[in-house]
Amino acid sequence: MPLVTAGVVVLDCAEPEKLAEFYRQLLDGEQIGASANLVEIRGGDGLRLAFRRDANATPPSWPRPENSLQAHLEFLVADLDEAERRVVGLGGRPVEAGDPAGTYEERGFADPAGHSFTLRLVPSPAPKQG
């Protein structure tokens, strides 16, 4: 067994209960733990995320240049349009981070607390020939 293994990604936010619910629904997951200052979920694919209460949390300004993007989450999707509708329906918002012209292979968003994340298209494999 390795000396160190990955645990859980933790996002600081003012309202961990609300943010955990956003990601629980987005990822078809379940809440697996909660305390006064931390809520943890596991997505349908096993990804674990936790949300820690920080009354002074402020969202990053990315893509505006005042702050650099320190970290973000990336989720793989089969249908960008459907996934975007889900994100917006749950209270997330699109983040314009590039040239709006052309076909997008990925799209940037902010969750309700302002954390950045990306939905990236996973192309379906080409059907087998003959």
Side-chain angles (χ1 to χ4, degrees):
M1 181 169 152
L3 178 62
V4 178
T5 59
V8 61
V9 174
V10 180
L11 298 176
D12 291 346
C13 57
E15 300 177 282
E17 300 82 6
K18 288 183 180 180
L19 197 56
E21 183 60 16
F22 170 84
Y23 282 104
R24 186 195 66 73
Q25 288 187 41
L26 178 65
L27 300 173
D28 293 324
E30 62 179 330
Q31 182 175 312
I32 59 173
S35 67
N37 291 311
L38 188 80
V39 178
E40 185 174 345
I41 66 159
R42 180 176 28 242
D45 65 350
L47 173 70
R48 290 175 46 210
L49 294 172
F51 309 90
R52 184 179 69 91
R53 187 176 317 281
D54 179 353
N56 297 315
T58 58
S61 66
W62 182 84
R64 297 185 316 269
E66 300 90 73
N67 268 337
S68 64
L69 176 64
Q70 307 255 329
H72 75 280
L73 301 170
E74 182 172 281
F75 300 105
L76 306 176
V77 300
D79 184 322
L80 277 170
D81 293 331
E82 183 179 340
E84 180 170 358
R85 284 190 293 274
R86 177 181 263 186
V87 167
V88 171
L90 292 170
R93 64 179 173 77
V95 175
E96 193 60 47
D99 182 358
T103 303
Y104 289 106
E105 295 295 321
E106 62 181 40
R107 297 180 190 161
F109 296 88
D111 66 27
H115 301 104
S116 302
F117 67 94
T118 301
L119 299 178
R120 184 165 52 94
L121 182 64
V122 177
S124 58
K128 291 183 179 181
Q129 300 286 327

